[in-house]
Structures are given as structure tokens and as C-alpha cells.
Amino acid sequence: MNPPPVSGPVALLDLLHGVTLGTIHVVAIVLGLFWVVVNFYTFYPLAQKAAEDLHLLLRRATLGTDAAEITPDGGSSQAGEGPASPGDFLEGETAPQIDVLIPAYEERTVIEQSIAAVRDARYPQERIAVTVLLEPDDEDTPVALEQLEGYYEFDVLTVPERYPGEQCKPRALDYGFERTDGEIVGVVDAEDVVDPELFQEVAAAIVDDGHTVVQGRLDMVNEDDGWLNTAFRAEFGLWFEYILPAFNRAGYPVPLGGTTCFFRRSALVAMGVKREERFGDPWEKADELWARSSGLFGRRPWSTSNVTEDFELGLFMWMDGHSVGYLDTTTAQESPVRLDNWIRQRTRWEKGKLYTLRQYLEGPTDGLRGRGHAVFQSGLPMLGPVNIFGVVVLFLIGNAAAYVPGSLIGWLLSLGLAFLVGVSTLYGVGYWSVSDTPLWTRIRRTLLVMVTIPVYWLLQWGAAIRAMWQMYNGWLHWERTTHNGRNGHGSNGHIHRFAPNAIEIDRVQKGLALVTIVLVGLGVRAYEVGSWALTAGEVGAMTAATTRPVTAVFGAAGFQQPPLYEVVLSGWVTLFGSTPASVRSLSLLFGVGTILGTYLLGRELFEESTGLMGAFVLAMSTLHIHVARVAGSAALFALLTVVSWWAFTRVGRADARTSVSYVLATAALVYTHAAGLFVLLAQWLYVGFSETRCGVALEDWGKIQAVLLAALVPAAAAVWQQLVVPGPAMVESALWADLPTRDVLMRTILGFVGYPTHYPFLVDSAAIYVVAVTLLLLGAAMLVLAIASFHPGYGFVLTARDGTAQMGVLFVVGLLGPLGVATVLPPSYDPLWALPASVALALLVAEGITNVPDRRLQAIVLVALAVSSGLLIGGYLATESVEPWDDATAHLHANAQPEDLVVVQPGWTTDAVEHYYRRAGGPPVDIVAASGGNGISAAVEGAVPPDRRIWVIHVGADAVEAGVGGLAESHVRAGTVRFGWIRLARFEPADRSAPAAQHASLPGGSDAAAPSLASIARVRSPAS
């Protein structure tokens, strides 16, 4: 039989889908290979050097030769070879003349430290000429220099306004180069503190070793100014300690650092001439005439049109065959303290490299090798954002097209992950190599760098994208970097920290705002809270709490999760009854407590306004509204998370009551849910890696944790049973949970921002989805402002607040921890495990709102948040439950007959059937649970005689499961009725006459089926 013909539109859609998948496959391969090549280019010299060093080490070990007598190429060194010793240039007669150019524009606070460091160097000072290069519109730096004239010897040159070119560092260097005449010319930045042995090394490398250009190591020493500065130091440590020496050894171009670089004067003169020949003369005829009249010859070794003149000059000199030396000295530099300053500096670097790339691609060819190095070295900073952008786009398109990566793509992705881990480790090694902090601080910050360096890369890529945008628009001007003297010993160490744009409110306004937030939160949580039937999970929790004694609840085999909520619920039901409203009111109470706790935590971590904002965000969160409207441990889990962290922030006060409160709250948290361990882990990580540790001493923290862990010993069996060896009921319920996929992660995050699909209320609306995505983007913008606040006149500044770091750790660990555990251990992932991360997100968003720079903009954000959240809450409250057990059991009550058999799928929902059927007072029937067992006891077989009617109640999004072969000979399905996700199917004995006539009111359905007899196991019978 021929298959049915495929219609034209369907065939076209299939063709488009195939083309899309093929394109995704090709693009994925290209991006993967591209990324492999980039990493290979960067780290091949490093691997080569490591292999050579290992070979040398093995030769020394096997030959027994003294380490100093074996050279890296495997030979033996002879007397008189190698670089000259520093002592060779302590006499003025033999020391070459060195001109040190110090470009300084608005550097009055730091200029002394660079001059002093040069004058303190171990080198004949009469052979060093220090020239400070100023600009005419700089009024402050000349004043500072006048005050230093009696202490240090230096010259001052002011670049004339008429000197051609835009005001920038290379223009000043070109002018200073023409006004000096030393055999060696070097550049030192105004904020630098050079090594005392620098000039000895320079003279030896250029005079004795024959290099024409040398570069010294640079170290960003102000790591104590924050995470950004620590990451910057790690970056420079990796580059200047490992990668650049390896580049030089492998014959790669060595990107010059813009400071601590020295040249033979003759080489610079030649480079100026060759640049003119290659790229043309940017000076007009009038400029040439003015220069001649001013005693200048127009020698310009540095390119004034390139904002990374150092990088371009180093690449140009390498292409011209000049020998580059690498010095064993370190210059102490200062990394930007403010984020806006860092972004401007990094944008300038990336923009200059882009300009160099365009310049060398458009200019005369230097052969395949030269052009290849020019592409990689100039374009390397841009390759990251381009590749990441491609991967993100590929991910989005592939996700929409249901693309499954093949083995090659999987291999490339695995290799990319290996590069990610390897490079992160190298950054940690780079930091370790240069840091001089105490051992524990060094260990802690090394690990911090390795874990967080991808965030630093994101900032780099943001600056690279900004550089691309400026290049596209032709903005080639110089963005200067502000220095504060953070690397000098004479600095007062003061860095201006910015307070957030907090909303000032008095006590009355604060009280009214808090009461309003709590009342709104209570109102949306209490709205018709008892109007829908208890779900199977709620009935199961209530049944477990009311039918088992406390001793059984705490038994290792007596529960499937930590028991605190069941214990509390047991007393609550005893006092207030088991109606839906009374059972859920306990969660409602916890939910309101979470709102108040969030306010207190926000006030403790930040300030009053952030606490109120956080309480408002949480009050309007459909996720937290939902957990406060259903009977379950989630609401207590959220409340204890807040209380535990609030007490955690106060443990440094050395107050016994605070420590006891922390231990009790955290122990209760873990006894409520095993995922409370991730909150504890986040606290440990913060204490381990932060500088402040909430003010608690490590010894005191160890004592507190010892008491806490002792209190958690009885919970160990529960946690083990929940996470590692779950019982049969938990395994069965886990079939309803999700696997930790990227889609589940996205749904979890959307749930955090308010997408109102929370079982049993399943909202399926495109409009609601759009609102949730909009709220997600708004939340992302607020997260940025929580980390980097904007201040007029200063730009973006990294927020120096412990609260931001604490909530950041809780968010990351609270979100990724459960996902990671669910990946390797049963049961499957439940988004409510990540509930603590949503609390952290609420406070981070609140901090971002507080940091919005304009009050009117703050009001707009709040209104947008309120309106969007209101729409999501409305969609949630208007949705009906998919488990209307009261309706389903009422139908069963109206149609069942005594001695009927009721089979429930899945078995763990049996409590809900019994609860509502018993309340309805229906005829006595036997209720059994369908399980996955293969055998059937004689009693169960005897409970299903051929003349007995069978009802099958199935709960789930799919139809009643197949497997009714055992009933096929004795029973006939008479019909199926559906109530939400509950399907009720009736099977009549095959020999019973006219079954349909007796129950004509029961709708039929072909999608229903019953379980096989082998899967039915008796649970209990209400009739008995």
C-alpha cells in the first residue's frame, strides 16, 4: 500500500526544516573549529614552552648536570655568554644614555611616584634623562611638578597646540622623541612604579644582547580595591608571566604594553620613515613647514591615529625583523577602580587593535605568516564576542528548530568546555604567580578568580562590542584613563565610594509602605484560597502529618523528605481542621512572614528603601504567591531561607543569641527541605571567599558550624533518602518531575520573574509569556544596576557592597546547585528546589531599582514592574486547577455501586481519592493503587472477579495508560469522563447486559485505558 501523498505546504515546511538543521550543523562546526583554532594559536606557545622546560628538567635529572650549565636548547653555557650582569652598568662611562618619556595629562596625584621610582633606580642617574610631557590645557599637573622641582631632577616639555594631530599620548611621545637625543628611548606611564633594576636590565638587553626593543613585566598591584582589580591582576599575571614570554620564545609578535618599553633610537627613526612609506604621511605641507620652523624634523615613530600606539608599533617592528627582548623586571601599575574607567580603557585597547587590523589588511601584504599574526593578534579580543554571539544565536535557533547536536558538534562543545576550564585555571595560576597577599587570602582569591573569570570575560566582550560600535561610527578619539595612585606608597588610599540613589523616607512613610506591601501580598495570596480542591500532593502531606506519630515521622524509613513541615502541619490541622482553606492558611502565614523577612534582610544587607523594594518584588511574585496558596513545605522553605540568611549576616557581632538564632534557623531550614543544604553551602562559600566574612572570625565560624552540623546529624538519613536512595513513592512521584535540561532552567528563571505556570495552575497564553519575558528583561537590567550603579559625572561604578555579593552567591548556588545534583542523582529536578535563589533575585532586583539614577525613571520602573506583575497575577488567579478531585469523586459517588473496584493511577494519588470520596459519603468500594510490580497476590486476583465493575482514575496530561490486556477478556470499557487532568474510566463485566443503557450519562472516550491486573496492588478500602 502506497503512503498518502504529502501536500505542497507540508513538503515545503519539511524542506525548510531540513535546510535549517543543515545550516545549523554547518555553522556549529565552523564556530567550534574557529574557537579551537583561536585557543590553539594563543596557547600553543605556552604548551611548547612547558614541554621544553619539562625536557630540560628531565635532562638535568638524568645527566646530573648543574642547572646553570644547561641552556634551554639543551646545550651547555660557557663563561662570558648570556646577558651582562647588572653590575656592568653601574659606572657612568659604560652606561648608555637613556631618555625616559613620561606622558602626563591631568596626573597631578600620581606623577611624583613615577619620577621618584626612576630616580631611585640602581643606575647612574646622570645617564638617565627624565622628560615629563604635558598638554597646554592641563593646569594641575604643572603645579604639582613645580612643587617637585627641588626634590627630583627632570625636564618638562609642553606639546604645542600647533603640533599636528589630535591630543593624545602618541602625539606627545612623538614630540618628546624629537626633543631628546638619548641612545635608548623608553616610555613610562605617569602612575607607574618601576623596578629598581629596570635600567640595568634595559642596558644589558639592548647593548649586550643586541635587542632593538625590550618590554618589561607589568603588574596591576591594587587587587585589594575589589574583584575587578583582582581579576585584572590575574589577567596581567597570566599574560606577562607566561603568555608573552612564550610568544617571544616561539617567534610570535610581542604586544608592547605601552609602558616599561625601551627602544634603540635609531630603530624608532627607521620605523617612522617606514610607516610614512607604507601608509603615507598624515601631515599637510603647512604642518611640515611649521615643524621645520620650530626646529623639528617630523620624525614620528608612534602613530597618532592609533589609540593603541604601543601594540601597533610592536607589531610593526616585529614585521620589520627587529629583535624583541623580554625583561625580568616588574613595574607596579594601577588598574582602574571604577567600572566606567575600566570600560573606557578596555574599549580604547580593543579599538586600537581593530584599527591596526584594518590598517594591515588594507595595506601592503607582509606574506601569509605576517598577515596571519596581524589578524590573530589584532582581532583576538574581537573573536570572543563574535564567537559567543554566534553560539547564542545558534542556541536560540537550534532550540526553536528542535536541533539535536551530532557527535562532531558534541566533541567540539566538549573541547570548548575543556578550554574554558583550562583557561580559567590558567588565570588562577597567573594570579597566584604575582600576588603577594597572605597565604589564605591568596588561596581564596585564586579560587575566586578561577570560578568568576567568565564574568570578567563578559565585561571584556562588552568593551569589545563598544569598540566595534565606535569603529563603525568612526569615533577614533582617545578615551583617557583616570589614575588614583593606588599602586604608590605615598597614596592616602582613599577611593570615593558611591552610595546608591536611595529613596529617603521617614518612619511614617516607611510604616505605611510596609503595611501596604504586606496587605497587598496577603490579599493576592488569600484570594479564594479555599475555593479549589486539595491536590494529591496536599492531601498526601496532610495525611502523612495526621496519621503518623512524630517518632515515625523522624524515622529514617518513615518519610521521603525532611519532616519539619509535616510536624508543624500536624499541629495546625489538629487546631484548625482539614478544609482546603485551613490547611493552606499555614502556608499563607509563612508567605506573609517571608515578605516581612525579605524587608528585614534587605534592610540589613543594604538599606531601608532596598528592603521595601525587595518586599514589594516578593509580594508581587507569582512564584511566591503560589507557594503561599498551596499546602506544602515550599512556603516554610522560603521563610527559613530568609531567616537563616538574616541571622547569618549578624553572626559577626559575637552575640550568643544571634549565633543560637542562626543555628536554629539553619537547622530548621535543612529539616524542612534537603535543598536547604545549598543555602548552607552558599554561606560557607561566602565566608570562605569574601574579605569581610560578615565580620565573623574563622575560629568562631568553625565553632558555630560544628554545633550546626551536630544538630543536623538526625537529618542525614532523611537527606540521603531524599537525594540518593529515594523510596518507591518518591521514585514514582519523580516521574512527574523534570530532567534538568536547558528548557527546564529557562522555565525556572521565567518562574522567578513571574511566569504564572505553577502546578496545578497551568497558564498557557502567548500574551502572558510575552509579559513574563518583558519582566525578565527588566529584571536583567536591574541586576546590572545592582552590580554597577550609574552616577552622573562618574558613569558606571562597581557597587562595593557586601549585600550584593552575598545575594549573588545565594542566587548562583541556589539555582545551579539543585540542577547539578539532579543531573547526577535521583529524583528529577523540581524548580521549587531553587526557591532560595528567587529570594536572592528579588533583593538584587530591588537593589538595582534603588540604584536607578533618576527618581522619575525609578517611578517608571516600579510602575512597569507593578503593571507587569499584576497582569501575571491576574492570569494566575483566573486559571483553574487541573486536579478537581471534588468534582471527580462526586461523579464517582453518583455512579458507583457497592463492591465496585476503584484503581488509581499513579498510586501516590490514592490519598486524594479516598479523602474526597470519604467526605462525599459514597457507597462502599474497594480503592487500590496501580503500581509497577510484575506479580499479583492471590488476594488481589480474587478482588477482581469477572462480574465486578472496575473504575480507573488516572491523573496526568496524557491519556489513561495502556496495558489492559488482563481485562480484555472479562471487561468492556463503557466510557471515560475528564475533569482537568483527572480521567475517570468505567469498565463493565463483559457478560453484563446493556451496560451503556444503565450509565448513559457517562461520556465515552477512546483515549482511556486501564492498567493490567499485574500492576494493581491493594492499598486500603474505605468501606472496611
Side-chain angles (χ1 to χ4, degrees), residues 644 647-648 658-666 680 683 701 704-705:
S644 171
F648 168 69
T658 301
S659 299
V660 170
S661 300
Y662 167 75
V663 170
L664 292 177
T666 308
L680 182 58
Q683 294 169 350
W701 175 252
I704 293 172
Q705 293 306 302

Side-chain angles (χ1 to χ4, degrees), residues 732-790:
E732 186 177 8
S733 64
L735 298 177
W736 281 47
D738 292 310
L739 294 175
T741 63
R742 63 173 185 262
D743 296 332
V744 171
L745 176 61
M746 179 57 68
R747 288 205 306 271
T748 300
I749 295 175
L750 283 175
F752 284 177
V753 300
Y755 187 63
T757 293
H758 308 293
Y759 192 84
F761 304 101
L762 304 181
V763 180
D764 186 14
S765 167
I768 291 294
Y769 185 83
V770 170
V771 174
V773 171
T774 302
L775 202 55
L776 175 63
L777 296 176
L778 179 62
M782 294 305 102
L783 283 180
V784 172
L785 289 178
I787 299 171
S789 56
F790 180 84

